[in-house]
Amino acid sequence: MTSVFASGEAGHHVVNELPLEPVMFGVIAIIVFLALLGLLWSFRNTLALDPVEHHSDAPGQDGSAGSQH
């Protein structure tokens, strides 16, 4: 029975090697997340720069003429 276990350990080999060191996957992930954060940061305050003012033109909404209170 011990020869079965010994032969199982002797045949152990690496099936799939990683293309990079494991630390590099974390480094690449951080770089990608920082690039996405930079993209998100570049769009901050863009609604304030919208040339079209967003207000309601419906009569009676601001309490002016046309409201029947």
Side-chain angles (χ1 to χ4, degrees):
M1 187 59 121
T2 57
S3 64
V4 173
F5 292 123
S7 66
E9 291 181 15
H12 183 267
H13 62 279
V14 176
V15 176
N16 293 323
E17 290 189 23
L18 295 174
L20 300 172
E21 294 291 322
V23 174
M24 292 307 294
F25 288 104
V27 171
I28 291 170
I30 289 174
I31 290 171
V32 168
F33 289 140
L34 287 175
L36 289 173
L37 179 65
L39 180 69
L40 180 68
W41 188 262
S42 70
F43 284 102
R44 72 187 190 284
N45 293 328
T46 55
L47 185 62
L49 300 176
D50 191 5
V52 179
E53 293 185 28
H54 298 282
H55 58 80
S56 176
D57 290 334
Q61 292 292 328
D62 58 351
S64 62
S67 81
Q68 300 192 10
H69 293 233

